[in-house]
Structures are given as C-alpha cells and as structure tokens.
Amino acid sequence: TMLDLEGTGDYKILSAKVISQGSSQSFSQSLTIDAGSNSGIRRNMTVICDAGLVGVVKEVYPNSALILLASDPSFRIGVRIAGTQQIGILSGQGSRKAVLQLIDNQTTLAAGDVLLARGSQLNRPFVPGVPVGTVTAVDNSAGAVAQSASVKFYTNFSALGVVAVVVGAPKTDPRDALVPAKPRPTPIPTITILVTPSP
C-alpha cells in the first residue's frame, strides 16, 4: 500500500523500521527510525506510512532519525479539503484526533470531508497531496471568527512498524489523486432454506 501511495503521488521514498517510540526530552510524541544522514535523510522531510501522514523529521543522526508525530500537541500542518481550494491549519491533540481551523469562514465543512497536506514552500517540511485524515464533526458556533472541526488521522500512531521518508518531492502536485477510496459496505448474507414436506 505504501508503494502504491509512492507511485500515485510520484514521491521518492526511503523505507525505514521504527526502532523505538515514545516521549523524548525534546518532543512529547515521537519515534526513532533506523535510517539517518548516511541514507540521505535530512531534517524537515515528510514521513508517511501506508495510511498517510506520520509526521516530520526533526533530528538526524548518521544511522537514525527522530520523527515528530503529527499527533504531537505542538504539530501544525497546512491542509486542503479534497475537491476544493479551501485551506486550514491542522493541530495535533496528543492522540489520533486533531483540530482543524479553517482560514476561510465562508467554507461549508461536513463530516466525512477528506484532508490532504497542502504542501510547503520548496516541499519542506511537507510535500503536497499526502492524505491526513477525515472530518468527524464540525463546530458551527455563532459568532466564531473561523470554522473549526474535529478530525481523525488516517494513521494509527501506536501501531507503526515501518514508515517511509519522502526524500524526493513530486514534480507536480498530485492534487486529489491520493484520496483514499471509501470503504465498501459489507453485504448482509441471505440464507435460503429449502424444506421438503413429508407425505
């Protein structure tokens, strides 16, 4: 699945194993991978997994690197609502949940809307088009300066074994090409019972 994400988004990635996860002195939610500067990893590179965004490279050593997870309360990323040009800022909340603050209050948000990474200048720290999460609830408080919404990350941060560092950005913005397919409902099986009446 991660290779599909790489191919569709035209990213150049370097896969790495997670060798430790947890808090550190500098970052409250992080993980360490078994690849570093000797493999071409640099600070402020995007980190993804098969589900989407994981975080960003914060510290690099010769054979390892420290990744700040998107779930960290200090994490911020510019996102775009799939299918539109509307943008906002997503903030980590210490779990798989996040908060979206829309920049344009005229936008109509709805539960189920898909959020993609907007991308940074020169593609650092974020490359465009990476799936981030879905809107779960919208706060339409009267008088609010901007709309806000609750978001669920696609990535399960507690179950990461292998991640990929994006070492090469796409030549063009993949736009909505990486929007995850909606899950198909499981059909309810029907059972037919044939009865032969006795004479």
Side-chain angles (χ1 to χ4, degrees), residues 80-85 116-118 128-130 172-179:
R80 179 177 61 81
I81 302 169
T84 75
Q85 295 298 321
L116 304 169
R118 184 170 176 264
V130 177
T172 58
D173 188 339
R175 305 300 300 161
D176 295 346
L178 299 176
V179 172

Side-chain angles (χ1 to χ4, degrees), residues 45-78:
M45 285 182 165
T46 307
V47 183
I48 62 175
C49 67
D50 58 340
L53 182 72
V54 171
V56 64
V57 177
K58 276 296 180 182
E59 300 290 346
V60 182
Y61 311 100
N63 297 304
S64 64
L66 184 68
I67 312 302
L68 178 67
L69 296 177
S71 57
D72 189 275
S74 68
F75 189 90
R76 302 286 182 276
I77 181 174

Side-chain angles (χ1 to χ4, degrees), residues 16 19-20 23-47 55-69 124-125 163 165:
I19 54 178
S20 70
S23 60
S24 69
Q25 292 180 352
S26 304
F27 312 110
S28 60
Q29 295 204 358
S30 62
L31 55 81
T32 304
I33 57 174
D34 67 350
S37 57
N38 290 342
S39 302
I41 293 176
R42 302 288 180 263
R43 289 188 66 186
N44 290 330
M45 285 182 165
T46 307
V47 183
V56 64
V57 177
K58 276 296 180 182
E59 300 290 346
V60 182
Y61 311 100
N63 297 304
S64 64
L66 184 68
I67 312 302
L68 178 67
L69 296 177
R124 301 274 287 272
V163 298
V165 181

